[in-house]
Amino acid sequence: MNEPPEPISPYEAIPIRLRVNGELRSGAVEPRRTLADFLREELSLTGTHLGCEHGVCGACTVLVDGEPARSCLLLAVQVNGAEVRTIEGLAVAGELSPLQSAMRDQHGFQCGFCTPGFLMQIQALLEERRALSEAEVREELSGNLCRCTGYESIVRGVMAALGSGADG
Amino acid sequence: MQKHQEDGRVLAGGQSLIPLLALRLARPALLIDLARIAELARLGEWEGGISIGAMVRQRVAERSPLVRQRAPLLAAALKFIAHPAIRSRGTVGGSLAHADPAAELPAVVVTLEAELVVASSERGERTIPAADFFSGHYTTALLADEILTEIRIPGPGPSTGFSFHEVSRRSGDFAMVGVAAAVAVEEGSISGARLCLTGVADRPVLATAPELGLLGVAPDRGVFEAAGEAIAARLRPPTDLHGSAEYRRQLALVLVARALRSASQRARGDNEDRREGAPA
Ligand SMILES: Cc1cc2nc3c(=O)[nH]c(=O)nc-3n(C[C@@H](O)[C@H](O)[C@H](O)COP(=O)(O)OP(=O)(O)OC[C@H]3O[C@@H](n4cnc5c(N)ncnc54)[C@H](O)[C@@H]3O)c2cc1C
Ligand code: FES
Ligand code: FES
């Protein structure tokens, strides 16, 4: 193995560049900063919510290179060079995406705290373009917790979005 | 690693380590990100089986046709780890090195007699049989200056079927009890079996055909249930928030019988079935 690079102090900011919702963004972050905090505090993208901050609730789910991931369990330095998509990127030119419309029509949220994480997880599912039964949808969404809806309306929203062939 | 063995930790997918940092349960002075080492993310053929780099993401392994074909037990077990959004970052090597006593993959590599390749910058590589790798709660045979680099899994033997079964409180939670099983059936009788339980001790618990009273007998429900009882009787599982020792012993009994039965059915069935692996 090669000579390892010198370690970086936890307080020293490291430059990173990444694409967020299609836009090139750069910043300098302490190595310990999570992606969630970077998005919310440095980029003011506060649509990504933080619930548990240790991977259990799914509220902070974003897409990293097309795959859903917990932004509370990723350090910002780990996504240097990656393509990140957040809830702010779903609507196009102020128009709700087909998924967002389906969720609104089915009353898929109440307080809305869990919604950004759910929508990004569901968005990834839609982009896989698989036919899914309701039971499979429930399984796929089992990593996202909601304290309000009882999940019924969320699942209805997903089934509606799947039915309409929505993927964007 | 050599230089920072006192206070450094390697970072793989971060899906166990970052929560520990967030909760201040671990406070390393230094994190070494293994993602920069491209060779560690290779997945390919190895003799009749497969070689999986430690940094291969769980989601990548789960989707790989090669893994499904050559290591159907691994493919089946991966689906039980957490949720897709966690498997998209979590790595195969990270799960093994972390050695959670309720994790799925340690039971899989022990059942399949995998070899774990570890390396240090000082002494180079050595290979550890999976059965010798896990030494207790979150503890492995890795020395302070070593990292896990590669997992080598032998190909499936002839007429062998595999299955993975577990019960957890909620979908995606760590198993209360999980069972990985491999059963070979030739000319109507069992010619070999290995199974391994997770969640019942500080490390995976292995049992083989002779201990299970399975060698040379015809696979039927009665012998599998007897094997389940024999194993359950010898377990001293923990009692915790998720379940009592007694409940875990009962789960072990039922899941062992179930896993042996579905593995033997796959062993007798056609290849397609065997390749499918075993969602619960
Ligand atoms: C909500 C939630 C649910 C989960 N459920 C399950 C579950 O049901 N089953 C399960 O098995 N796991 C579960 N996990 C943990 C699993 O997702 C992790 O992926 C895995 O345990 C660690 O892999 P990692 O790549 O993320 O490793 P990291 O978190 O990066 O590292 C874990 C530990 O291993 C060490 N390490 C990592 N790679 C190496 C290496 N190559 N060599 C030496 N040391 C190394 C690190 O230093 C660290 O101490 C869950 C996690 C979360 C957040
Ligand atoms: S805030 Fe990240 S999973 Fe709960
Ligand atoms: S809508 Fe309130 S938590 Fe889901």
PDB file of all heavy atoms in Angstrom, chain A residues 6-7 55 64 67-70 72-75 78 121 128 139-140 142-143, chain B residues 3-4 11-12 15 18-19 22 30-31 59 63 83-86 88-89 171:
ATOM      1  N   GLU A   6      -1.152  12.501   4.935  1.00  0.00           N
ATOM      2  CA  GLU A   6      -1.121  13.007   6.311  1.00  0.00           C
ATOM      3  C   GLU A   6      -2.555  13.217   6.817  1.00  0.00           C
ATOM      4  O   GLU A   6      -3.420  13.663   6.079  1.00  0.00           O
ATOM      5  CB  GLU A   6      -0.363  14.339   6.357  1.00  0.00           C
ATOM      6  CG  GLU A   6       1.148  14.166   6.520  1.00  0.00           C
ATOM      7  CD  GLU A   6       1.515  13.255   7.705  1.00  0.00           C
ATOM      8  OE1 GLU A   6       1.167  13.614   8.844  1.00  0.00           O
ATOM      9  OE2 GLU A   6       2.130  12.200   7.481  1.00  0.00           O
ATOM     10  N   PRO A   7      -2.819  12.885   8.050  1.00  0.00           N
ATOM     11  CA  PRO A   7      -4.159  13.100   8.580  1.00  0.00           C
ATOM     12  C   PRO A   7      -4.512  14.581   8.635  1.00  0.00           C
ATOM     13  O   PRO A   7      -3.641  15.438   8.711  1.00  0.00           O
ATOM     14  CB  PRO A   7      -4.107  12.521   9.985  1.00  0.00           C
ATOM     15  CG  PRO A   7      -2.672  12.383  10.327  1.00  0.00           C
ATOM     16  CD  PRO A   7      -1.923  12.263   9.041  1.00  0.00           C
ATOM     17  N   GLY A  55     -29.798   7.089  11.812  1.00  0.00           N
ATOM     18  CA  GLY A  55     -30.084   6.105  10.772  1.00  0.00           C
ATOM     19  C   GLY A  55     -31.404   5.375  10.887  1.00  0.00           C
ATOM     20  O   GLY A  55     -31.734   4.569  10.023  1.00  0.00           O
ATOM     21  N   VAL A  64     -28.048   9.856  -3.441  1.00  0.00           N
ATOM     22  CA  VAL A  64     -26.634  10.079  -3.737  1.00  0.00           C
ATOM     23  C   VAL A  64     -26.289   9.195  -4.932  1.00  0.00           C
ATOM     24  O   VAL A  64     -26.423   7.973  -4.853  1.00  0.00           O
ATOM     25  CB  VAL A  64     -25.738   9.716  -2.528  1.00  0.00           C
ATOM     26  CG1 VAL A  64     -24.271   9.896  -2.882  1.00  0.00           C
ATOM     27  CG2 VAL A  64     -26.104  10.571  -1.317  1.00  0.00           C
ATOM     28  N   GLU A  67     -28.942   6.648  -5.677  1.00  0.00           N
ATOM     29  CA  GLU A  67     -29.341   5.673  -4.651  1.00  0.00           C
ATOM     30  C   GLU A  67     -29.803   6.396  -3.393  1.00  0.00           C
ATOM     31  O   GLU A  67     -29.152   7.341  -2.953  1.00  0.00           O
ATOM     32  CB  GLU A  67     -28.138   4.801  -4.250  1.00  0.00           C
ATOM     33  CG  GLU A  67     -27.614   3.915  -5.344  1.00  0.00           C
ATOM     34  CD  GLU A  67     -28.384   2.608  -5.443  1.00  0.00           C
ATOM     35  OE1 GLU A  67     -29.238   2.336  -4.574  1.00  0.00           O
ATOM     36  OE2 GLU A  67     -28.121   1.872  -6.400  1.00  0.00           O
ATOM     37  N   PRO A  68     -30.885   5.927  -2.776  1.00  0.00           N
ATOM     38  CA  PRO A  68     -31.294   6.550  -1.519  1.00  0.00           C
ATOM     39  C   PRO A  68     -30.229   6.311  -0.455  1.00  0.00           C
ATOM     40  O   PRO A  68     -29.623   5.250  -0.406  1.00  0.00           O
ATOM     41  CB  PRO A  68     -32.587   5.808  -1.160  1.00  0.00           C
ATOM     42  CG  PRO A  68     -32.521   4.508  -1.888  1.00  0.00           C
ATOM     43  CD  PRO A  68     -31.727   4.774  -3.139  1.00  0.00           C
ATOM     44  N   ALA A  69     -29.992   7.326   0.377  1.00  0.00           N
ATOM     45  CA  ALA A  69     -28.992   7.192   1.444  1.00  0.00           C
ATOM     46  C   ALA A  69     -29.394   8.104   2.592  1.00  0.00           C
ATOM     47  O   ALA A  69     -30.077   9.116   2.401  1.00  0.00           O
ATOM     48  CB  ALA A  69     -27.598   7.563   0.928  1.00  0.00           C
ATOM     49  N   ARG A  70     -28.962   7.748   3.790  1.00  0.00           N
ATOM     50  CA  ARG A  70     -29.224   8.556   4.978  1.00  0.00           C
ATOM     51  C   ARG A  70     -28.217   9.701   5.024  1.00  0.00           C
ATOM     52  O   ARG A  70     -27.020   9.448   5.207  1.00  0.00           O
ATOM     53  CB  ARG A  70     -28.998   7.719   6.239  1.00  0.00           C
ATOM     54  CG  ARG A  70     -29.832   6.460   6.332  1.00  0.00           C
ATOM     55  CD  ARG A  70     -31.251   6.813   6.629  1.00  0.00           C
ATOM     56  NE  ARG A  70     -31.949   5.726   7.278  1.00  0.00           N
ATOM     57  CZ  ARG A  70     -33.062   5.171   6.810  1.00  0.00           C
ATOM     58  NH1 ARG A  70     -33.556   5.559   5.647  1.00  0.00           N
ATOM     59  NH2 ARG A  70     -33.675   4.230   7.493  1.00  0.00           N
ATOM     60  N   CYS A  72     -27.796  11.713   7.362  1.00  0.00           N
ATOM     61  CA  CYS A  72     -27.240  11.860   8.713  1.00  0.00           C
ATOM     62  C   CYS A  72     -26.102  10.884   8.955  1.00  0.00           C
ATOM     63  O   CYS A  72     -25.361  11.021   9.922  1.00  0.00           O
ATOM     64  CB  CYS A  72     -28.316  11.672   9.784  1.00  0.00           C
ATOM     65  SG  CYS A  72     -28.884   9.959   9.991  1.00  0.00           S
ATOM     66  N   LEU A  73     -25.976   9.861   8.095  1.00  0.00           N
ATOM     67  CA  LEU A  73     -24.919   8.861   8.285  1.00  0.00           C
ATOM     68  C   LEU A  73     -23.821   8.993   7.242  1.00  0.00           C
ATOM     69  O   LEU A  73     -23.049   8.073   7.025  1.00  0.00           O
ATOM     70  CB  LEU A  73     -25.503   7.437   8.217  1.00  0.00           C
ATOM     71  CG  LEU A  73     -26.504   7.040   9.299  1.00  0.00           C
ATOM     72  CD1 LEU A  73     -26.841   5.552   9.195  1.00  0.00           C
ATOM     73  CD2 LEU A  73     -25.954   7.348  10.690  1.00  0.00           C
ATOM     74  N   LEU A  74     -23.787  10.121   6.579  1.00  0.00           N
ATOM     75  CA  LEU A  74     -22.739  10.358   5.598  1.00  0.00           C
ATOM     76  C   LEU A  74     -22.019  11.624   5.992  1.00  0.00           C
ATOM     77  O   LEU A  74     -22.658  12.613   6.362  1.00  0.00           O
ATOM     78  CB  LEU A  74     -23.367  10.592   4.222  1.00  0.00           C
ATOM     79  CG  LEU A  74     -23.607   9.370   3.367  1.00  0.00           C
ATOM     80  CD1 LEU A  74     -24.448   9.760   2.160  1.00  0.00           C
ATOM     81  CD2 LEU A  74     -22.265   8.813   2.907  1.00  0.00           C
ATOM     82  N   LEU A  75     -20.719  11.595   5.889  1.00  0.00           N
ATOM     83  CA  LEU A  75     -19.967  12.832   6.099  1.00  0.00           C
ATOM     84  C   LEU A  75     -19.947  13.582   4.780  1.00  0.00           C
ATOM     85  O   LEU A  75     -19.870  12.963   3.705  1.00  0.00           O
ATOM     86  CB  LEU A  75     -18.546  12.501   6.557  1.00  0.00           C
ATOM     87  CG  LEU A  75     -18.474  11.726   7.889  1.00  0.00           C
ATOM     88  CD1 LEU A  75     -17.035  11.333   8.203  1.00  0.00           C
ATOM     89  CD2 LEU A  75     -19.072  12.542   9.030  1.00  0.00           C
ATOM     90  N   GLN A  78     -17.413  12.611   2.324  1.00  0.00           N
ATOM     91  CA  GLN A  78     -17.568  11.347   1.598  1.00  0.00           C
ATOM     92  C   GLN A  78     -18.309  11.517   0.277  1.00  0.00           C
ATOM     93  O   GLN A  78     -18.262  10.612  -0.557  1.00  0.00           O
ATOM     94  CB  GLN A  78     -18.343  10.324   2.451  1.00  0.00           C
ATOM     95  CG  GLN A  78     -17.569   9.744   3.621  1.00  0.00           C
ATOM     96  CD  GLN A  78     -18.458   8.809   4.434  1.00  0.00           C
ATOM     97  OE1 GLN A  78     -19.323   9.242   5.169  1.00  0.00           O
ATOM     98  NE2 GLN A  78     -18.254   7.518   4.287  1.00  0.00           N
ATOM     99  N   GLN A 121     -37.092   8.490  -0.954  1.00  0.00           N
ATOM    100  CA  GLN A 121     -37.051   7.023  -1.003  1.00  0.00           C
ATOM    101  C   GLN A 121     -38.002   6.515  -2.098  1.00  0.00           C
ATOM    102  O   GLN A 121     -37.649   5.641  -2.885  1.00  0.00           O
ATOM    103  CB  GLN A 121     -37.455   6.458   0.370  1.00  0.00           C
ATOM    104  CG  GLN A 121     -37.457   4.951   0.455  1.00  0.00           C
ATOM    105  CD  GLN A 121     -36.071   4.348   0.346  1.00  0.00           C
ATOM    106  OE1 GLN A 121     -35.145   4.765   1.035  1.00  0.00           O
ATOM    107  NE2 GLN A 121     -35.918   3.384  -0.559  1.00  0.00           N
ATOM    108  N   GLU A 128     -36.649   2.973 -10.458  1.00  0.00           N
ATOM    109  CA  GLU A 128     -36.273   1.587 -10.785  1.00  0.00           C
ATOM    110  C   GLU A 128     -37.245   0.974 -11.780  1.00  0.00           C
ATOM    111  O   GLU A 128     -36.984  -0.081 -12.350  1.00  0.00           O
ATOM    112  CB  GLU A 128     -36.251   0.716  -9.519  1.00  0.00           C
ATOM    113  CG  GLU A 128     -35.072   0.973  -8.604  1.00  0.00           C
ATOM    114  CD  GLU A 128     -35.094   0.048  -7.380  1.00  0.00           C
ATOM    115  OE1 GLU A 128     -35.571  -1.108  -7.501  1.00  0.00           O
ATOM    116  OE2 GLU A 128     -34.655   0.490  -6.312  1.00  0.00           O
ATOM    117  N   GLU A 139     -42.836  -2.959   2.273  1.00  0.00           N
ATOM    118  CA  GLU A 139     -41.512  -3.480   2.641  1.00  0.00           C
ATOM    119  C   GLU A 139     -40.425  -2.463   2.260  1.00  0.00           C
ATOM    120  O   GLU A 139     -39.543  -2.150   3.050  1.00  0.00           O
ATOM    121  CB  GLU A 139     -41.301  -4.829   1.930  1.00  0.00           C
ATOM    122  CG  GLU A 139     -39.926  -5.456   2.109  1.00  0.00           C
ATOM    123  CD  GLU A 139     -39.615  -5.818   3.556  1.00  0.00           C
ATOM    124  OE1 GLU A 139     -40.583  -6.169   4.283  1.00  0.00           O
ATOM    125  OE2 GLU A 139     -38.441  -5.736   3.962  1.00  0.00           O
ATOM    126  N   GLU A 140     -40.517  -1.933   1.049  1.00  0.00           N
ATOM    127  CA  GLU A 140     -39.500  -0.985   0.579  1.00  0.00           C
ATOM    128  C   GLU A 140     -39.469   0.277   1.437  1.00  0.00           C
ATOM    129  O   GLU A 140     -38.435   0.922   1.562  1.00  0.00           O
ATOM    130  CB  GLU A 140     -39.762  -0.581  -0.883  1.00  0.00           C
ATOM    131  CG  GLU A 140     -39.549  -1.698  -1.898  1.00  0.00           C
ATOM    132  CD  GLU A 140     -38.077  -2.012  -2.139  1.00  0.00           C
ATOM    133  OE1 GLU A 140     -37.227  -1.156  -1.847  1.00  0.00           O
ATOM    134  OE2 GLU A 140     -37.792  -3.139  -2.600  1.00  0.00           O
ATOM    135  N   SER A 142     -40.189   0.420   4.633  1.00  0.00           N
ATOM    136  CA  SER A 142     -40.179   0.093   6.056  1.00  0.00           C
ATOM    137  C   SER A 142     -39.071   0.820   6.814  1.00  0.00           C
ATOM    138  O   SER A 142     -39.083   0.847   8.041  1.00  0.00           O
ATOM    139  CB  SER A 142     -40.064  -1.415   6.262  1.00  0.00           C
ATOM    140  OG  SER A 142     -38.811  -1.867   5.794  1.00  0.00           O
ATOM    141  N   GLY A 143     -38.136   1.418   6.103  1.00  0.00           N
ATOM    142  CA  GLY A 143     -37.073   2.169   6.771  1.00  0.00           C
ATOM    143  C   GLY A 143     -37.430   3.630   7.002  1.00  0.00           C
ATOM    144  O   GLY A 143     -36.587   4.403   7.449  1.00  0.00           O
TER     145      GLY A 143
ATOM    146  N   LYS B   3       0.566   3.612  11.661  1.00  0.00           N
ATOM    147  CA  LYS B   3       0.949   4.830  12.347  1.00  0.00           C
ATOM    148  C   LYS B   3      -0.094   5.273  13.376  1.00  0.00           C
ATOM    149  O   LYS B   3       0.229   5.932  14.346  1.00  0.00           O
ATOM    150  CB  LYS B   3       1.077   5.942  11.295  1.00  0.00           C
ATOM    151  CG  LYS B   3       2.356   6.723  11.411  1.00  0.00           C
ATOM    152  CD  LYS B   3       2.714   7.345  10.085  1.00  0.00           C
ATOM    153  CE  LYS B   3       2.517   8.835  10.045  1.00  0.00           C
ATOM    154  NZ  LYS B   3       2.697   9.368   8.707  1.00  0.00           N
ATOM    155  N   HIS B   4      -1.348   4.903  13.155  1.00  0.00           N
ATOM    156  CA  HIS B   4      -2.413   5.487  13.977  1.00  0.00           C
ATOM    157  C   HIS B   4      -3.222   4.437  14.709  1.00  0.00           C
ATOM    158  O   HIS B   4      -4.388   4.620  14.990  1.00  0.00           O
ATOM    159  CB  HIS B   4      -3.344   6.320  13.096  1.00  0.00           C
ATOM    160  CG  HIS B   4      -2.608   7.376  12.343  1.00  0.00           C
ATOM    161  ND1 HIS B   4      -2.101   8.496  12.954  1.00  0.00           N
ATOM    162  CD2 HIS B   4      -2.241   7.451  11.048  1.00  0.00           C
ATOM    163  CE1 HIS B   4      -1.481   9.230  12.047  1.00  0.00           C
ATOM    164  NE2 HIS B   4      -1.551   8.620  10.893  1.00  0.00           N
ATOM    165  N   LEU B  11     -12.992   3.998   8.218  1.00  0.00           N
ATOM    166  CA  LEU B  11     -14.377   4.299   7.869  1.00  0.00           C
ATOM    167  C   LEU B  11     -14.689   3.551   6.575  1.00  0.00           C
ATOM    168  O   LEU B  11     -14.004   3.738   5.571  1.00  0.00           O
ATOM    169  CB  LEU B  11     -14.519   5.808   7.664  1.00  0.00           C
ATOM    170  CG  LEU B  11     -15.871   6.314   7.177  1.00  0.00           C
ATOM    171  CD1 LEU B  11     -16.953   6.083   8.217  1.00  0.00           C
ATOM    172  CD2 LEU B  11     -15.779   7.795   6.824  1.00  0.00           C
ATOM    173  N   ALA B  12     -15.717   2.709   6.630  1.00  0.00           N
ATOM    174  CA  ALA B  12     -16.123   2.002   5.404  1.00  0.00           C
ATOM    175  C   ALA B  12     -17.397   2.669   4.905  1.00  0.00           C
ATOM    176  O   ALA B  12     -17.349   3.753   4.342  1.00  0.00           O
ATOM    177  CB  ALA B  12     -16.302   0.522   5.698  1.00  0.00           C
ATOM    178  N   GLN B  15     -22.191   3.122   8.260  1.00  0.00           N
ATOM    179  CA  GLN B  15     -23.569   2.893   8.723  1.00  0.00           C
ATOM    180  C   GLN B  15     -23.626   2.346  10.155  1.00  0.00           C
ATOM    181  O   GLN B  15     -24.671   2.355  10.784  1.00  0.00           O
ATOM    182  CB  GLN B  15     -24.329   1.981   7.758  1.00  0.00           C
ATOM    183  CG  GLN B  15     -24.370   2.514   6.342  1.00  0.00           C
ATOM    184  CD  GLN B  15     -25.013   3.895   6.257  1.00  0.00           C
ATOM    185  OE1 GLN B  15     -26.215   4.033   6.438  1.00  0.00           O
ATOM    186  NE2 GLN B  15     -24.223   4.922   5.988  1.00  0.00           N
ATOM    187  N   ILE B  18     -20.756   5.884  12.039  1.00  0.00           N
ATOM    188  CA  ILE B  18     -21.253   7.265  12.211  1.00  0.00           C
ATOM    189  C   ILE B  18     -22.281   7.349  13.342  1.00  0.00           C
ATOM    190  O   ILE B  18     -22.219   8.269  14.155  1.00  0.00           O
ATOM    191  CB  ILE B  18     -21.806   7.864  10.885  1.00  0.00           C
ATOM    192  CG1 ILE B  18     -20.784   7.750   9.768  1.00  0.00           C
ATOM    193  CG2 ILE B  18     -22.282   9.304  11.072  1.00  0.00           C
ATOM    194  CD1 ILE B  18     -19.707   8.785   9.702  1.00  0.00           C
ATOM    195  N   PRO B  19     -23.222   6.367  13.449  1.00  0.00           N
ATOM    196  CA  PRO B  19     -24.103   6.426  14.632  1.00  0.00           C
ATOM    197  C   PRO B  19     -23.304   6.384  15.941  1.00  0.00           C
ATOM    198  O   PRO B  19     -23.643   7.093  16.897  1.00  0.00           O
ATOM    199  CB  PRO B  19     -24.980   5.180  14.491  1.00  0.00           C
ATOM    200  CG  PRO B  19     -24.964   4.856  13.039  1.00  0.00           C
ATOM    201  CD  PRO B  19     -23.642   5.318  12.513  1.00  0.00           C
ATOM    202  N   ALA B  22     -22.017   9.785  16.414  1.00  0.00           N
ATOM    203  CA  ALA B  22     -23.081  10.741  16.725  1.00  0.00           C
ATOM    204  C   ALA B  22     -23.500  10.604  18.178  1.00  0.00           C
ATOM    205  O   ALA B  22     -23.819  11.588  18.835  1.00  0.00           O
ATOM    206  CB  ALA B  22     -24.282  10.511  15.801  1.00  0.00           C
ATOM    207  N   LEU B  30      -8.951  10.025  14.653  1.00  0.00           N
ATOM    208  CA  LEU B  30      -8.660  10.020  13.231  1.00  0.00           C
ATOM    209  C   LEU B  30      -9.518   8.994  12.522  1.00  0.00           C
ATOM    210  O   LEU B  30      -9.664   7.867  12.993  1.00  0.00           O
ATOM    211  CB  LEU B  30      -7.191   9.620  13.057  1.00  0.00           C
ATOM    212  CG  LEU B  30      -6.719   9.580  11.632  1.00  0.00           C
ATOM    213  CD1 LEU B  30      -6.332  10.981  11.200  1.00  0.00           C
ATOM    214  CD2 LEU B  30      -5.523   8.661  11.507  1.00  0.00           C
ATOM    215  N   LEU B  31     -10.110   9.392  11.387  1.00  0.00           N
ATOM    216  CA  LEU B  31     -10.836   8.436  10.560  1.00  0.00           C
ATOM    217  C   LEU B  31     -10.078   8.239   9.262  1.00  0.00           C
ATOM    218  O   LEU B  31      -9.627   9.210   8.649  1.00  0.00           O
ATOM    219  CB  LEU B  31     -12.230   8.968  10.221  1.00  0.00           C
ATOM    220  CG  LEU B  31     -13.280   8.929  11.326  1.00  0.00           C
ATOM    221  CD1 LEU B  31     -14.597   9.465  10.765  1.00  0.00           C
ATOM    222  CD2 LEU B  31     -13.465   7.515  11.840  1.00  0.00           C
ATOM    223  N   ARG B  59     -25.639  -3.226  -1.156  1.00  0.00           N
ATOM    224  CA  ARG B  59     -26.649  -3.129  -2.211  1.00  0.00           C
ATOM    225  C   ARG B  59     -26.089  -3.620  -3.545  1.00  0.00           C
ATOM    226  O   ARG B  59     -26.801  -4.212  -4.352  1.00  0.00           O
ATOM    227  CB  ARG B  59     -27.084  -1.669  -2.313  1.00  0.00           C
ATOM    228  CG  ARG B  59     -28.370  -1.446  -3.039  1.00  0.00           C
ATOM    229  CD  ARG B  59     -29.569  -1.626  -2.165  1.00  0.00           C
ATOM    230  NE  ARG B  59     -30.772  -1.154  -2.853  1.00  0.00           N
ATOM    231  CZ  ARG B  59     -31.864  -1.892  -3.006  1.00  0.00           C
ATOM    232  NH1 ARG B  59     -31.915  -3.118  -2.539  1.00  0.00           N
ATOM    233  NH2 ARG B  59     -32.911  -1.390  -3.636  1.00  0.00           N
ATOM    234  N   ARG B  63     -27.431  -7.040  -5.624  1.00  0.00           N
ATOM    235  CA  ARG B  63     -27.955  -6.984  -6.990  1.00  0.00           C
ATOM    236  C   ARG B  63     -27.101  -7.768  -7.981  1.00  0.00           C
ATOM    237  O   ARG B  63     -27.487  -7.917  -9.133  1.00  0.00           O
ATOM    238  CB  ARG B  63     -27.987  -5.526  -7.460  1.00  0.00           C
ATOM    239  CG  ARG B  63     -29.085  -4.726  -6.826  1.00  0.00           C
ATOM    240  CD  ARG B  63     -28.940  -3.288  -7.285  1.00  0.00           C
ATOM    241  NE  ARG B  63     -30.054  -2.485  -6.821  1.00  0.00           N
ATOM    242  CZ  ARG B  63     -29.987  -1.170  -6.697  1.00  0.00           C
ATOM    243  NH1 ARG B  63     -28.852  -0.533  -6.995  1.00  0.00           N
ATOM    244  NH2 ARG B  63     -31.020  -0.495  -6.293  1.00  0.00           N
ATOM    245  N   HIS B  83     -32.221  -1.475   5.719  1.00  0.00           N
ATOM    246  CA  HIS B  83     -33.119  -1.030   4.659  1.00  0.00           C
ATOM    247  C   HIS B  83     -32.278  -0.653   3.444  1.00  0.00           C
ATOM    248  O   HIS B  83     -31.099  -0.388   3.578  1.00  0.00           O
ATOM    249  CB  HIS B  83     -33.906   0.187   5.126  1.00  0.00           C
ATOM    250  CG  HIS B  83     -34.565  -0.033   6.460  1.00  0.00           C
ATOM    251  ND1 HIS B  83     -35.709  -0.784   6.593  1.00  0.00           N
ATOM    252  CD2 HIS B  83     -34.220   0.345   7.701  1.00  0.00           C
ATOM    253  CE1 HIS B  83     -36.049  -0.846   7.856  1.00  0.00           C
ATOM    254  NE2 HIS B  83     -35.160  -0.164   8.561  1.00  0.00           N
ATOM    255  N   PRO B  84     -32.926  -0.568   2.257  1.00  0.00           N
ATOM    256  CA  PRO B  84     -32.159  -0.230   1.053  1.00  0.00           C
ATOM    257  C   PRO B  84     -31.287   1.019   1.217  1.00  0.00           C
ATOM    258  O   PRO B  84     -30.138   1.041   0.771  1.00  0.00           O
ATOM    259  CB  PRO B  84     -33.242  -0.017  -0.006  1.00  0.00           C
ATOM    260  CG  PRO B  84     -34.384  -0.876   0.452  1.00  0.00           C
ATOM    261  CD  PRO B  84     -34.341  -0.862   1.951  1.00  0.00           C
ATOM    262  N   ALA B  85     -31.804   2.059   1.879  1.00  0.00           N
ATOM    263  CA  ALA B  85     -31.036   3.308   1.972  1.00  0.00           C
ATOM    264  C   ALA B  85     -29.817   3.152   2.888  1.00  0.00           C
ATOM    265  O   ALA B  85     -28.925   3.999   2.875  1.00  0.00           O
ATOM    266  CB  ALA B  85     -31.928   4.448   2.468  1.00  0.00           C
ATOM    267  N   ILE B  86     -29.776   2.095   3.674  1.00  0.00           N
ATOM    268  CA  ILE B  86     -28.596   1.837   4.509  1.00  0.00           C
ATOM    269  C   ILE B  86     -27.655   0.878   3.788  1.00  0.00           C
ATOM    270  O   ILE B  86     -26.436   1.068   3.772  1.00  0.00           O
ATOM    271  CB  ILE B  86     -29.051   1.319   5.892  1.00  0.00           C
ATOM    272  CG1 ILE B  86     -29.719   2.489   6.630  1.00  0.00           C
ATOM    273  CG2 ILE B  86     -27.879   0.755   6.698  1.00  0.00           C
ATOM    274  CD1 ILE B  86     -30.371   2.136   7.936  1.00  0.00           C
ATOM    275  N   SER B  88     -27.274   0.795   0.704  1.00  0.00           N
ATOM    276  CA  SER B  88     -26.646   1.497  -0.422  1.00  0.00           C
ATOM    277  C   SER B  88     -25.285   2.054  -0.017  1.00  0.00           C
ATOM    278  O   SER B  88     -24.445   2.318  -0.863  1.00  0.00           O
ATOM    279  CB  SER B  88     -27.551   2.617  -0.932  1.00  0.00           C
ATOM    280  OG  SER B  88     -27.644   3.642   0.035  1.00  0.00           O
ATOM    281  N   ARG B  89     -25.044   2.252   1.282  1.00  0.00           N
ATOM    282  CA  ARG B  89     -23.733   2.737   1.745  1.00  0.00           C
ATOM    283  C   ARG B  89     -22.966   1.678   2.517  1.00  0.00           C
ATOM    284  O   ARG B  89     -21.738   1.645   2.476  1.00  0.00           O
ATOM    285  CB  ARG B  89     -23.896   3.971   2.655  1.00  0.00           C
ATOM    286  CG  ARG B  89     -24.679   5.122   2.071  1.00  0.00           C
ATOM    287  CD  ARG B  89     -24.107   5.694   0.815  1.00  0.00           C
ATOM    288  NE  ARG B  89     -22.721   6.118   0.921  1.00  0.00           N
ATOM    289  CZ  ARG B  89     -22.068   6.794  -0.033  1.00  0.00           C
ATOM    290  NH1 ARG B  89     -22.690   7.137  -1.143  1.00  0.00           N
ATOM    291  NH2 ARG B  89     -20.815   7.110   0.128  1.00  0.00           N
ATOM    292  N   SER B 171     -39.412  -5.071  10.369  1.00  0.00           N
ATOM    293  CA  SER B 171     -38.655  -5.281   9.152  1.00  0.00           C
ATOM    294  C   SER B 171     -37.414  -4.384   9.165  1.00  0.00           C
ATOM    295  O   SER B 171     -37.507  -3.203   9.446  1.00  0.00           O
ATOM    296  CB  SER B 171     -39.564  -4.932   7.975  1.00  0.00           C
ATOM    297  OG  SER B 171     -38.790  -4.597   6.866  1.00  0.00           O
TER     298      SER B 171
END
